[in-house]
Amino acid sequence: MRKMTEQHLINAFGGESQAHMRYLHFANQAEKEKFTNVARLFRAISHAEYVHAGDHYKALKHLNGGFVANSMAAFGPGDTLKNLQLAIDGETFEIEEMYPVYIEVAKFQEEKLAQRSFEWSYATEKLHKQLFEKAFDAVNAGNDVDLGPVHICEVCGYTLEGEAPDRCPVCGAVKEKFTAFR
Amino acid sequence: MRKMTEQHLINAFGGESQAHMRYLHFANQAEKEKFTNVARLFRAISHAEYVHAGDHYKALKHLNGGFVANSMAAFGPGDTLKNLQLAIDGETFEIEEMYPVYIEVAKFQEEKLAQRSFEWSYATEKLHKQLFEKAFDAVNAGNDVDLGPVHICEVCGYTLEGEAPDRCPVCGAVKEKFTAFR
Ligand SMILES: [Fe+2]
Ligand SMILES: [Fe+2]
Ligand SMILES: [Fe+2]
Ligand SMILES: [Fe+2]
Ligand SMILES: [Fe+2]
Ligand SMILES: [Fe+2]
């Protein structure tokens, strides 16, 4: 694998691991504030980031040993409203800069496996941002968010509110590959 | 907070998030190979890394916005024997280099909160290494590891095989603060 793309996969593994971690801690804070659905949303999306991290990690299985990831993360947790803003900011960075750049370079370097791993994540971060924005608006008005079941594709991390589709629209996985957060 | 120590906390948050993530995926692989206790050990220690990451993250709550973590991670997953070797290598780096350096700099810069967060993690990584070495020896002989209940302190990540102590020897937390992985 070309070294620039390889480093981007390493960085993306770090970024997804850190997003997964932040959302677990943000879920705890939401529970303390009795925002049960916001907590469930953080846990579901944390799981999607776990799938993303795993996809990048597996795309790097040719490596052997220690490498340094250079990965942006949002710091400064607070109450749930603040944490939702940090989550929106993190997803926005991934949507507007990180994944478009990583995809562009993977295409330029003709690294198909890396490109697919980045595209799978990219497809879903937009949905994460929308869900967090909906939760932000609810919490900003003093309410928990209205939230149906959230389903996560175990193959690509695709995230949707509602029932699982017959096929994942991003990776094509079958319905049985979805995990529900109800 | 002084900037060098602050950057080390950011890096340590990244490193712990990545260790947490790797051990979750290594647990899945161990389950596939029917090493049930090795899988449980990975899940328990993954949880300890989650506590470590949370401690570093909270020590940085004065920050606000995005910062880049520069964090070493071990790549190249394989079967469970290989994954245990990667886990041992990662813990060894933290014990022999990363945390001693971060603690030394925190002392030098008189950053007590950061120093405590690093020392809490450091105290436990040695136990992680020992537990992974025991698991490595078992798997290397073709067996699952003999493993009693594993207890994790929710305050500092202290990890022990056996029943929870009355007080955490690292941070002083009471018995009720321990989570069991049986
Ligand atoms: Fe993601
Ligand atoms: Fe996301
Ligand atoms: Fe999918
Ligand atoms: Fe740790
Ligand atoms: Fe550890
Ligand atoms: Fe403790």
mmCIF file of all heavy atoms in Angstrom, chain A residues 16 48-49 52 91 94 99 121 125 128, ligand 1:
data_model
loop_
_atom_site.group_PDB
_atom_site.id
_atom_site.type_symbol
_atom_site.label_atom_id
_atom_site.label_comp_id
_atom_site.label_asym_id
_atom_site.label_seq_id
_atom_site.Cartn_x
_atom_site.Cartn_y
_atom_site.Cartn_z
ATOM 1 N N GLU A 16 -11.639 7.390 14.556
ATOM 2 C CA GLU A 16 -12.859 6.624 14.837
ATOM 3 C C GLU A 16 -12.814 6.046 16.259
ATOM 4 O O GLU A 16 -13.834 5.999 16.953
ATOM 5 C CB GLU A 16 -13.036 5.493 13.815
ATOM 6 C CG GLU A 16 -13.262 5.966 12.389
ATOM 7 C CD GLU A 16 -14.639 6.601 12.161
ATOM 8 O OE1 GLU A 16 -15.492 6.570 13.072
ATOM 9 O OE2 GLU A 16 -14.844 7.140 11.066
ATOM 10 N N ALA A 48 -21.379 2.405 15.767
ATOM 11 C CA ALA A 48 -21.054 2.604 14.340
ATOM 12 C C ALA A 48 -19.583 3.008 14.180
ATOM 13 O O ALA A 48 -18.901 2.544 13.251
ATOM 14 C CB ALA A 48 -21.969 3.668 13.731
ATOM 15 N N GLU A 49 -19.077 3.834 15.090
ATOM 16 C CA GLU A 49 -17.670 4.250 15.001
ATOM 17 C C GLU A 49 -16.731 3.059 15.279
ATOM 18 O O GLU A 49 -15.636 2.976 14.704
ATOM 19 C CB GLU A 49 -17.357 5.399 15.963
ATOM 20 C CG GLU A 49 -18.338 6.568 15.970
ATOM 21 C CD GLU A 49 -18.604 7.273 14.647
ATOM 22 O OE1 GLU A 49 -18.186 6.792 13.593
ATOM 23 O OE2 GLU A 49 -19.268 8.341 14.684
ATOM 24 N N HIS A 52 -16.528 1.356 12.017
ATOM 25 C CA HIS A 52 -15.620 2.111 11.141
ATOM 26 C C HIS A 52 -14.156 1.850 11.515
ATOM 27 O O HIS A 52 -13.318 1.600 10.649
ATOM 28 C CB HIS A 52 -15.905 3.620 11.239
ATOM 29 C CG HIS A 52 -17.219 4.030 10.648
ATOM 30 N ND1 HIS A 52 -17.791 5.261 10.875
ATOM 31 C CD2 HIS A 52 -18.075 3.367 9.821
ATOM 32 C CE1 HIS A 52 -18.937 5.337 10.217
ATOM 33 N NE2 HIS A 52 -19.138 4.201 9.582
ATOM 34 N N GLU A 91 -18.260 15.339 13.672
ATOM 35 C CA GLU A 91 -18.820 14.749 12.445
ATOM 36 C C GLU A 91 -18.645 15.713 11.270
ATOM 37 O O GLU A 91 -18.336 15.284 10.149
ATOM 38 C CB GLU A 91 -20.308 14.413 12.638
ATOM 39 C CG GLU A 91 -20.614 13.414 13.760
ATOM 40 C CD GLU A 91 -20.219 11.979 13.443
ATOM 41 O OE1 GLU A 91 -19.994 11.661 12.263
ATOM 42 O OE2 GLU A 91 -20.121 11.173 14.394
ATOM 43 N N GLU A 94 -15.221 15.518 9.816
ATOM 44 C CA GLU A 94 -15.053 14.296 9.027
ATOM 45 C C GLU A 94 -15.739 14.397 7.669
ATOM 46 O O GLU A 94 -15.236 13.888 6.667
ATOM 47 C CB GLU A 94 -15.614 13.084 9.795
ATOM 48 C CG GLU A 94 -14.775 12.740 11.019
ATOM 49 C CD GLU A 94 -15.248 11.477 11.715
ATOM 50 O OE1 GLU A 94 -16.368 11.006 11.433
ATOM 51 O OE2 GLU A 94 -14.496 10.951 12.540
ATOM 52 N N TYR A 99 -12.716 12.938 5.499
ATOM 53 C CA TYR A 99 -12.989 11.844 4.557
ATOM 54 C C TYR A 99 -12.916 12.269 3.099
ATOM 55 O O TYR A 99 -12.382 11.513 2.271
ATOM 56 C CB TYR A 99 -14.269 11.101 4.922
ATOM 57 C CG TYR A 99 -14.025 10.107 6.051
ATOM 58 C CD1 TYR A 99 -14.728 10.162 7.236
ATOM 59 C CD2 TYR A 99 -13.037 9.123 5.927
ATOM 60 C CE1 TYR A 99 -14.475 9.264 8.277
ATOM 61 C CE2 TYR A 99 -12.779 8.227 6.954
ATOM 62 C CZ TYR A 99 -13.491 8.299 8.118
ATOM 63 O OH TYR A 99 -13.221 7.418 9.139
ATOM 64 N N SER A 121 -17.325 4.853 5.663
ATOM 65 C CA SER A 121 -17.457 5.739 6.826
ATOM 66 C C SER A 121 -18.122 7.055 6.419
ATOM 67 O O SER A 121 -19.068 7.508 7.056
ATOM 68 C CB SER A 121 -16.089 6.040 7.440
ATOM 69 O OG SER A 121 -15.554 4.890 8.052
ATOM 70 N N GLU A 125 -21.307 9.227 8.222
ATOM 71 C CA GLU A 125 -21.076 10.370 9.123
ATOM 72 C C GLU A 125 -22.125 11.454 8.889
ATOM 73 O O GLU A 125 -22.521 12.169 9.810
ATOM 74 C CB GLU A 125 -19.669 10.958 8.950
ATOM 75 C CG GLU A 125 -18.504 9.984 8.987
ATOM 76 C CD GLU A 125 -18.406 9.101 10.204
ATOM 77 O OE1 GLU A 125 -19.233 9.191 11.124
ATOM 78 O OE2 GLU A 125 -17.467 8.269 10.230
ATOM 79 N N HIS A 128 -25.000 10.587 10.949
ATOM 80 C CA HIS A 128 -24.694 10.861 12.366
ATOM 81 C C HIS A 128 -24.925 12.334 12.675
ATOM 82 O O HIS A 128 -25.507 12.689 13.688
ATOM 83 C CB HIS A 128 -23.234 10.493 12.682
ATOM 84 C CG HIS A 128 -22.965 9.027 12.606
ATOM 85 N ND1 HIS A 128 -21.708 8.501 12.743
ATOM 86 C CD2 HIS A 128 -23.802 7.973 12.413
ATOM 87 C CE1 HIS A 128 -21.778 7.187 12.631
ATOM 88 N NE2 HIS A 128 -23.026 6.840 12.429
HETATM 89 FE FE FE C 1 -17.132 7.093 11.875
#
